Amino acid sequence: MATTVRRAVLTLPAASLGPENPLPVLCAPADVHTLDERTREGLPRDMARQVGYEPLRSLLPVRLLDGYQRRRQDAEFEAVVIENAHLRVTVLPGFGGRVHSLVHLPTGRELLYRNPVFQPANFALNGAWFSGGIEWNIGATGHTTLSCAPLHAALVPAPDGGVMVRLWEWERLRDLPFQVDLWLPGDSEFLYVGVRVRNPHERPAPVYWWSNTAVPENSGTRVLAPADEAWHFGYERALRRIPVPRWEGEDRTYPLGSTYPADFFYEVPDGARPWIASLDEGGHGLVQTSTARLRGRKLFVWGAAEGGRRWQEWLTEPGSGGYAEIQAGLARTQLEHVRLEAGAEFSWLEAYGPLSADPATVHGPDWAAARSAAQTALAAALPPERVEEAYEAWRGRAADTEPGERLATGSGWGALEVLCGGHKLPGTPFPESGLGEDQAPWLELWRTGVFPTPRRVAPPGPSLVAPHWRDMLETAPAEPLTEYHLGVAQWHAGDVAQAVRSWERGLALAPSRWPLLRCLAVADALAGDPERAAQRFAEAFEDLAEESRGGRSWTAAESALGREAMTALLAAGRLPAARAVWDRLRPALREEGRFRLLAARLLAAEGHVGAARRVFEEGFELPDLREGDEILSEVWTRVTDRPLPPSYNFRMRPPL
């Protein structure tokens, strides 16, 4: 059977993504993957250097996706299906190029954890993310901002003469283009994936890449990798070297052998073939291997405690079965970023396919024998030299080939950067025809030197913050909207004083004051002046409420600024002002889980503890609860000394 590629439509119960949050993300969200400074001592020198290399200052220019809910109804997803006699691969170009399903056709086995629903949750760097399949993470530590974003997709000739699917986009946190090429050689039991990240700039860039694969989590499932040690990272933010497979009396290569969620970054010896496999009690499952550039391997587990199980239910639906993740990355751990020189690239080849090994050995007490059994089975199924040959053929003959038939369209940001920067990127075209409404004012700034005044009153569009855009804004006429965007770019560059001056200049003449007041409130909060920050948040929300029209973007602005204002006012003890914000909210917003929680906090602060407790007892859901956030348990303990109900227990670490 020759390899075929076809379009398909996948129907899933799905929650709507909702609108983007229009407020610029001046601060990166609290990151549970931050390493405690004290634990850096004693790390290998290269690891310590890369852990400290170019951490994110903010999420700019990316916007938050936090407008989703948990009400699901059937929705259609555009998919691309690659199939030969051995495998059927289902890809979702509109959602980060996620491989949704990988079916081994001779046995009918699904090799991945395939989520039966689409339920966004707050795990991506910019919010919305969903579980299951194989995802391509680029940008910075965490799940990519492209998790729920469309990628460009097209057909391209494969190295073996067949056809492959190319996915590509411009990653905006680091301003880097990348591509992911997927193909199935005619008689192959392995999906090949060629990945390339390029740096077209005249300066080095930090690169982060991890390919994350969700696999079924069963009591008999074991994860194997060529390592005798691992770096354990829990939600206590500590990194420590531990033995594999047993640590503290438990075999940690079984996902349910851990109590709490944790990362295990395997210490793969230099020169060893990199691979990782998840095999069930019968010795069957999935293996991933690659060329040497992708050196890191990791197991992520949710653990057996109540909080981890609750997260599993939260990300899908009860009865769907749990999952673990086997992952592969550019560095040893996900706390690191790797330097990519100006004009250079990183490229590698990955392979995914079925693996079977003797179950008695795989699950036996001898770790070296178990590992060897899996590695021997992999060598028979896919010798390492075949992977190297496939990589050389792809990189030499196919990676630069221009795409043919288009399958999907991504964003217009790459087109803007290529047009303005004059970049040449063979194989990943970003034509001017891809420019859209969000790019239009920036294109006019580039062409005329003037940032245009919008034709209608609306929340400000996205800001751009790269040095060349900041330079253009600095020389443009100092209109209020220009000063707003300039301040955002200066803030991103670390020039806080200049950003504040730009926002204050804009505020003096702005017909719409709330965007500037909100930026100044964030600056006040970070400067250690919560009183002034709270006052400006209150003024900003009042101005927004007066100006707001109907429509998704205005509602999204009210929701986002209302949450920030109430949170700041509660922190400052400004209870009447917090109540005033609550009273100005649209009734529909007050019913959302995030505002139900704020209502409980406000009631408790006002001394109405019983009423606050009833908010919990009546039940609500917090759709955008952040990974590692313990706000539900914190508020619960303020209103009662009873045990936290299971529906609110999302704890990812032991109680302090």
Side-chain angles (χ1 to χ4, degrees), residues 133-476:
I134 307 172
E135 59 176 311
W136 319 109
N137 288 299
I138 182 173
T141 300
H143 294 281
T144 177
T145 61
L146 296 166
S147 293
C148 292
L151 304 190
H152 300 282
L155 298 181
V156 183
D160 65 341
V163 65
M164 67 183 179
V165 174
R166 173 163 299 160
L167 307 164
W168 74 99
E169 207 13 303
W170 191 279
E171 199 286 312
R172 301 178 66 212
L173 289 180
R174 303 302 196 181
D175 261 341
L176 300 176
F178 71 97
Q179 72 189 76
V180 178
D181 290 351
L182 304 101
W183 77 100
L184 284 173
D187 196 37
S188 175
E189 285 198 328
F190 283 81
L191 169 67
Y192 287 169
V193 182
V195 182
R196 176 165 61 170
V197 181
R198 287 186 273 195
N199 180 7
H201 306 295
E202 296 179 351
R203 61 185 186 277
V207 175
Y208 173 93
W209 185 281
W210 281 79
S211 302
N212 291 10
T213 304
V215 291
E217 171 210 69
N218 302 309
S219 59
T221 297
R222 191 178 205 186
V223 172
L224 302 105
D228 291 312
E229 292 182 308
W231 293 92
H232 172 273
F233 184 79
Y235 287 78
E236 307 91 341
R237 301 186 176 185
L239 192 64
R240 48 188 160 180
R241 201 167 190 155
I242 65 168
V244 175
R246 298 189 69 83
W247 177 56
E248 294 185 342
E250 294 288 344
D251 190 327
R252 307 295 174 151
T253 60
Y254 290 89
L256 292 175
S258 294
T259 303
Y260 291 95
D263 300 326
F264 297 91
F265 299 102
Y266 293 112
E267 188 68 61
V268 178
D270 291 340
R273 183 181 188 181
W275 60 271
I276 189 167
S278 173
L279 303 182
D280 63 18
E281 62 274 6
H284 307 296
L286 173 79
V287 66
Q288 187 272 359
T289 187
S290 69
T291 48
R293 168 69 71 182
L294 205 66
R295 63 172 295 186
R297 291 299 184 275
K298 169 192 160 181
L299 165 65
F300 167 75
V301 301
W302 284 106
E306 188 176 84
R309 309 328 295 168
R310 179 66 177 127
W311 273 116
Q312 294 263 31
E313 292 180 352
W314 187 254
L315 296 171
T316 177
E317 57 185 12
S320 298
Y323 74 95
E325 287 183 353
I326 57 174
Q327 307 180 11
L330 280 176
R332 274 185 284 193
T333 74
Q334 288 173 333
L335 307 176
E336 303 168 66
H337 300 98
V338 183
R339 180 185 174 101
L340 179 59
E341 298 298 336
E345 70 172 50
F346 289 142
S347 62
W348 62 90
L349 187 91
E350 303 181 45
Y352 296 81
L355 190 71
S356 294
D358 174 47
T361 307
V362 164
H363 295 285
D366 187 333
W367 170 244
R371 208 177 58 210
S372 178
Q375 185 154 331
T376 299
L378 171 60
L382 186 66
E385 56 269 19
R386 195 185 305 170
V387 176
E388 294 294 334
E389 290 165 2
Y391 168 72
E392 294 298 335
W394 167 73
R395 186 62 194 88
R397 299 200 298 268
D400 286 346
T401 302
E402 291 303 309
E405 178 187 345
R406 293 300 180 98
L407 302 172
T409 302
S411 78
W413 296 113
L416 182 67
E417 295 298 339
V418 167
L419 177 65
C420 299
H423 304 303
K424 305 298 181 185
L425 300 168
T428 55
F430 294 94
E432 191 172 345
S433 59
L435 294 167
E437 182 181 351
D438 282 343
Q439 293 80 45
W442 298 95
L443 184 62
E444 186 169 337
L445 173 65
W446 178 66
R447 285 177 169 163
T448 69
V450 177
F451 196 88
T453 301
R455 299 193 184 107
R456 57 187 176 85
V457 178
S463 298
L464 295 184
V465 297
H468 52 285
W469 294 111
R470 187 174 72 249
D471 292 345
M472 283 184 255
L473 289 166
E474 286 174 345
T475 57

